[in-house]
């Protein structure tokens, strides 16, 4: 326990806490804001998110290169958070589809960099101090969950979503920028190169494999999460259900974060990721068989369990296969590849949902995860047999 009581560790815990609050009051309700308050349809919603994610994907490797070169990741994080907060305020003032698309893309370009920058700091700190990365994610997940529930209660019984959730998120963003000043910095030795070597990542077979597997697996989770508040409304649920669904989605991460990371280090990260893919595949299967609100709503806990096994374990795997001097580049490139797959599939999903309905939409989620599982088993069969 003593190793957790130091300035660096406490500052990382604190920034995950504040960042979770910022994210938890905003992202779960953005789809409902766009569909109910601004009256955009599913195709427009997916186009906005898809183009924004694709734009962010292009920018992330550049940020990783800058981070590895200057070795002051916390300062870079502060800049990204300030710019994204400005874009968020502008976003709250516009209503035209084309302008919303442009401003949201600008916002997400900078906001998407914050998580991989913070994760790179946390992963290096965990490796240097022999800490469990899951403990930081636990704080983030619990805070996100609580904030989403509180916002759901605040908006319950309302027909539209006001801009208050955006302003509250901006206030937390400011706190993130302040706390980031205290984050620990890691400098490479003078004899080591600080240059960004993209080829070192591309030639790292394990890095490419895990990026593809996680990208395909988590694309379905990210797509449904993006639509979640709109789906709950479409199924006939209440706005407060958005917050309660967040509890079911994130409770497994709160309960299992530390245990899962320990287990992955013992039995192998890829084996745990494969288990997560199987569990996630089961969720989409039962929804395809029974496309009803209770099944969709209560199976959210299955998705939450799979998310920690795929996403969090996949991220922790990076510290095992990537040199510390490339960690910022690795986390940003890893996130970029994930966004690339998501940006393509989310636009397809919007067309499918609008023109074909919910069942084909969830069948698409099932097929995507099935492809991820087949690819994972076929490319890593030797490690699985061990």
């Amino acid at each position: 326990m003593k190793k957790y009581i130091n300035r660096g560790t406490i500052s990382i815990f604190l920034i995950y806490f504040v960042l979770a609050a910022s994210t938890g009051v905003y992202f779960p309700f953005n789809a409902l804001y766009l569909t109910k308050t601004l009256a955009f349809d599913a195709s427009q919603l997916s186009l906005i998110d898809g183009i924004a994610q694709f734009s962010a994907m292009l920018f992330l490797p550049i940020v990783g290169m800058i981070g590895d070169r200057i070795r002051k990741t916390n300062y870079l994080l502060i800049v990204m958070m300030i710019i994204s907060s400005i874009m968020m305020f502008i976003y709250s003032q516009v209503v035209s589809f084309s302008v919303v698309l442009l401003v949201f893309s600008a916002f997400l370009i900078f906001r998407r960099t914050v998580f991989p920058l913070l994760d790179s700091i946390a992963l290096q700190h965990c490796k240097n101090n022999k800490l469990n990365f899951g403990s930081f994610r636990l704080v983030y997940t619990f805070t996100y969950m609580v904030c989403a529930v509180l916002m759901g209660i605040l908006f319950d019984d309302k027909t539209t979503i006001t801009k208050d959730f955006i302003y509250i998120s901006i206030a937390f963003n400011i706190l993130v920028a302040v706390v980031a000043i205290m984050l620990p910095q890691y400098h490479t030795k003078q004899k080591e190169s600080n240059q960004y070597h993209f080829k070192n990542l591309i030639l790292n077979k394990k890095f490419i494999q895990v990026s593809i597997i996680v990208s395909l697996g988590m694309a379905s989770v990210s797509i449904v999460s993006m639509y979640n508040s709109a789906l709950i409304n479409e199924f006939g649920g209440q706005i407060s259900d958005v917050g309660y669904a967040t509890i079911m989605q994130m409770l497994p991460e709160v309960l299992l974060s530390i245990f899962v990371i320990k287990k992955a280090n013992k039995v192998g990260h890829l084996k745990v990721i494969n288990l997560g893919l199987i569990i996630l595949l089961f969720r989409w299967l039962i929804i395809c068989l029974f496309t009803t609100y209770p099944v969709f709503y209560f199976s959210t806990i299955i998705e939450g369990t799979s998310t920690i096994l795929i996403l969090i374990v996949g991220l922790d795997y990076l510290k095992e296969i990537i040199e510390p001097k490339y960690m910022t580049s690795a986390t940003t490139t890893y996130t970029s590849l994930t966004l690339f797959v998501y940006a393509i599939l989310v636009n397809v999903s919007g067309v499918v949902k609008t023109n074909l309905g919910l069942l084909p939409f969830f069948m698409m989620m099932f097929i995507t995860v099935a492809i991820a599982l087949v690819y994972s088993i076929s490319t890593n069969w030797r490690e699985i047999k061990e």
Side-chain angles (χ1 to χ4, degrees), residues 4 25 28 122 127-128 158 173 183 188 236 261 309 332 338 362:
Y4 285 92
V25 301
K127 189 165 187 176
N128 291 348
K158 291 183 172 60
N173 287 349
L183 287 173
T188 55
I261 295 298
L309 298 176
T332 52
T338 303
F362 286 114

Side-chain angles (χ1 to χ4, degrees), residues 242-291:
V242 177
Y244 298 134
T246 303
I247 290 181
M248 289 190 290
Q249 182 182 20
M250 309 196 86
L251 187 60
E253 189 172 335
V254 172
L255 299 176
L256 300 174
S257 288
I258 296 176
F259 168 77
V260 166
I261 295 298
K262 286 183 178 179
K263 197 68 177 177
N265 288 322
K266 289 182 179 179
V267 304
H269 288 74
L270 293 177
K271 291 180 181 178
V272 176
I273 291 173
N274 286 337
L275 175 61
L277 291 172
I278 293 171
I279 293 172
L280 184 58
L281 200 63
F282 176 70
R283 188 202 182 191
W284 303 138
L285 176 61
I286 62 173
I287 293 179
C288 287
L289 294 175
F290 310 99
T291 312

